[in-house]
């Protein structure tokens, strides 16, 4: 399996330190736990660890622990034998088997149901596992990298995460600080992605005004690098610097006027999508626009935004207790986790 070398941009001492550890441990067969807020580059670092290891030409298999219903997780990870359960009409390999001698990336490990945590711990201890319904043991040959944007210490204290599994996974731990704590990286990232969007995605050239660059350095980037890239894309397409600036400025003002950015209250403003409200949709509905949307697309976009705002509000009201939020929204816990992931909603912690 081949993919290009992951490009990690950043000149700040913080990211340089992350890179130093990454290169130092990439070729060692130690388990690595990568932590950091949403969008800081955890998957990028995981891919870089794989790329710089002797496993580089072997598979890199990602498992999103949050996206799978808990009853499917075990068979997803370890596979199943024909006849193991109703509907198992053939033997199927799991992700560990698919990863072979490559790397298995356990993303969102903090969301792993407690039962699956015990299973995984046992597998990591024994370096072997059984397919569901199987009797022949399979050797774990893959290297294990896990990631989370949760505070695992808090999860351990709340009995939601097993401490022994945490120690197993974090032989080496790499923490990626949020973008607001390494502002030196903003301009190199802007330059890199401006070039990338223009050359690889054929987007119009991006010219940022000095005022916007100033704001970029004040803004707190709850969605980190992913949010910055989204801004650049939007800026490139709509080219309306004033509108983006007003939105960022008002987000900053809201911080100053009351809600302190160090409290959970900030989640209310974490959405990159609420920035221009619906104006961009209305602007897009212009026959001169190359991507003139259909009314259905417009409706879908609006519904998505409202849905997202409601989910954010309920999460905020429940203090990010996702089980309570799911009950309030009358959707399943897993469905909520999926939406949080899909809509890129996140609390801002500190
Ligand atoms: N230092 C960096 N240099 C270049 N690109 C970066 C950097 N950090 C993040 N990115 C880019 O930002 C986006 C988000 O990164 P990534 O998916 O690795 O974040 P993440 O921490 O896994 O987020 P999440 O917790 O939401 O899954 C990706 O497009 C990634 O390539
Ligand atoms: Mg990720």
């Amino acid at each position: 399996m081949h993919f290009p070398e992951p490009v990690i941009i950043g000149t700040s001492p913080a990211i340089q330190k992350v890179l130093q550890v990454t290169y130092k441990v990439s070729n060692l067969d130690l388990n690595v736990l990568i932590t950091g807020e949403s969008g800081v580059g955890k998957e990028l670092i995981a891919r870089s660890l794989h790329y710089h290891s002797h496993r580089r030409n072997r598979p890199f298999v990602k498992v999103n622990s949050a996206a799978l219903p808990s009853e499917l997780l075990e068979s997803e990870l370890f596979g199943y034998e024909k006849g193991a359960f109703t509907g198992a009409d053939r033997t199927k390999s799991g992700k560990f088997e698919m990863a072979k001698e490559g790397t298995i990336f356990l993303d969102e490990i903090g969301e792993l149901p407690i039962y699956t945590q015990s299973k995984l711990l046992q597998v990591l201890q024994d370096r072997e596992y059984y397919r569901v319904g199987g009797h022949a043991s399979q050797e774990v040959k893959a290297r294990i990298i896990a990631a989370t944007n949760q505070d695992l210490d808090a999860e351990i204290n709340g009995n939601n995460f097993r401490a022994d599994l945490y120690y197993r996974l974090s032989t080496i731990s790499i923490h990626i600080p949020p973008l607001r704590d390494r502002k030196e990286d903003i301009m190199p990232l802007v330059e890199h992605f401006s070039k990338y969007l223009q050359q690889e995605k054929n987007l119009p050239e991006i010219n940022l005004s000095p005022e916007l660059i100033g704001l970029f350095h004040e803004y707190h980037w709850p969605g980190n690098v992913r949010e910055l890239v989204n801004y650049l894309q939007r800026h490139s397409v709509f080219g309306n610097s004033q509108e983006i600036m007003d939105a960022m400025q008002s987000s900053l003002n809201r911080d100053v006027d009351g809600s302190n950015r160090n409290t959970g209250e900030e989640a209310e403003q974490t959405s990159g999508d609420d920035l221009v409200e619906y104006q961009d949709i209305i602007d897009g509905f212009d026959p001169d626009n190359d991507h003139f949307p259909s009314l259905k697309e417009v409706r879908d976009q609006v519904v998505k935004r409202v849905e997202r705002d409601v989910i954010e509000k309920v999460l905020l009201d429940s203090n990010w207790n996702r089980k309570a939020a799911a009950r309030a929204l009358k959707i399943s816990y897993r469905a909520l986790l999926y939406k949080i992931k899909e809509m890129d909603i996140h609390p801002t912690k500190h």
Side-chain angles (χ1 to χ4, degrees):
M1 197 170 281
H2 298 274
F3 55 84
E5 179 173 0
V7 181
I8 302 163
I9 305 293
T11 51
S12 64
I15 205 76
Q16 289 302 320
K17 200 173 134 211
V18 165
L19 286 178
Q20 246 174 25
V21 179
T22 301
Y23 296 143
K24 197 162 187 176
V25 303
S26 55
N27 207 22
L28 307 176
D29 283 332
L30 299 173
N31 295 345
V32 181
L33 177 69
I34 307 168
T35 58
E37 288 179 12
S38 186
V40 284
K42 297 185 293 296
E43 182 167 343
L44 190 65
I45 292 295
R47 288 187 181 275
S48 180
L49 284 164
H50 175 75
Y51 185 90
H52 292 101
S53 75
H54 60 275
R55 297 169 185 270
R56 171 176 160 182
N57 293 321
R58 316 262 177 188
F60 177 93
V61 174
K62 174 173 155 177
V63 183
N64 186 338
S65 319
L68 288 167
S70 61
E71 45 313 341
L72 289 185
L73 249 178
E74 192 183 343
S75 50
E76 181 78 14
L77 285 169
F78 309 120
Y80 55 79
E81 295 287 343
K82 182 175 171 179
F85 45 81
T86 324
D89 51 5
R90 65 193 172 93
T91 295
K92 192 170 177 291
S93 341
K95 298 276 186 177
F96 272 92
E97 207 170 327
M98 288 179 205
K100 298 186 187 133
E101 282 151 15
T103 300
I104 185 160
F105 177 48
L106 304 171
D107 203 4
E108 312 278 349
I109 195 79
E111 300 292 350
L112 209 62
I114 206 89
Y115 169 77
T116 323
Q117 289 177 29
S118 314
K119 269 260 125 111
L120 181 63
L121 176 67
Q122 204 176 358
V123 169
L124 299 189
Q125 277 166 348
D126 303 346
R127 299 294 300 180
E128 63 172 27
Y129 62 93
Y130 296 85
R131 291 192 192 122
V132 176
H135 301 290
S137 77
Q138 314 280 330
E139 190 188 340
V140 173
K141 297 191 179 124
R143 192 235 189 125
I144 291 136
I145 301 179
T148 182
N149 54 20
Q150 293 201 38
D151 178 354
L152 281 188
D153 285 337
E155 296 297 315
I156 291 169
N157 285 335
N159 290 327
N160 294 319
F161 203 84
R162 291 184 64 129
D164 42 10
L165 177 61
Y166 172 77
Y167 295 124
R168 268 283 154 182
L169 291 172
S170 60
T171 311
I172 303 289
S173 59
I174 299 181
H175 177 70
I176 311 176
L179 189 56
R180 65 183 156 284
D181 291 346
R182 45 184 174 99
K183 296 198 167 162
E184 305 96 300
D185 294 343
I186 292 175
M187 285 321 287
L189 283 164
V190 165
E191 274 152 31
H192 170 79
F193 281 104
S194 300
K195 206 154 115 198
Y196 169 81
L197 293 172
Q198 200 185 336
Q199 290 176 354
E200 308 290 322
K201 301 278 172 194
N202 267 325
L203 292 185
E205 195 184 343
I206 299 174
N207 283 308
L208 303 179
S209 66
E211 291 94 319
L212 189 58
I213 290 173
L215 270 179
F216 273 17
H217 287 81
E218 279 176 62
Y219 186 59
H220 51 280
W221 300 109
N224 294 289
V225 181
R226 185 180 294 114
E227 190 184 3
L228 175 62
V229 179
N230 286 345
Y231 270 112
L232 294 173
Q233 270 167 340
R234 192 181 304 194
H235 184 89
S236 160
V237 175
F238 296 107
N240 190 345
S241 168
Q242 191 56 47
E243 201 175 312
I244 297 184
M245 276 178 58
D246 290 349
M248 281 184 138
Q249 191 65 59
S250 73
S251 165
L252 280 168
N253 290 345
R254 271 183 294 182
D255 271 4
V256 174
D257 302 338
S259 70
N260 179 333
R261 77 176 52 162
N262 293 329
T263 71
E265 281 181 64
E266 195 197 10
E268 203 171 23
Q269 310 147 18
T270 55
S271 154
D273 285 322
D274 70 347
L275 278 171
V276 282
E277 301 290 339
Y278 306 111
Q279 193 57 45
D280 61 323
I281 296 181
I282 295 163
D283 290 347
F285 206 66
D286 168 357
D288 291 340
N289 180 342
D290 291 347
H291 313 286
F292 188 62
S294 67
L295 201 55
K296 182 179 180 308
E297 283 170 301
V298 170
R299 187 166 53 221
D300 289 349
Q301 283 186 48
V302 173
V303 166
K304 260 207 176 120
R305 288 192 193 183
V306 175
E307 209 179 296
R308 187 198 160 109
D309 285 350
V310 169
I311 293 174
E312 280 196 328
K313 180 174 178 344
V314 172
L315 283 167
L316 189 67
D317 289 349
S318 67
N319 225 348
W320 270 79
N321 177 335
R322 283 160 293 198
K323 293 216 164 93
R327 272 197 301 277
L329 291 162
K330 300 194 179 64
I331 58 176
S332 74
Y333 175 59
R334 292 264 147 195
L336 177 62
L337 295 183
Y338 180 77
K339 286 201 181 280
I340 291 174
K341 177 85 195 157
E342 189 199 14
M343 297 178 171
D344 200 19
I345 303 174
H346 35 76
T348 302
K349 295 178 280 204
H350 249 289

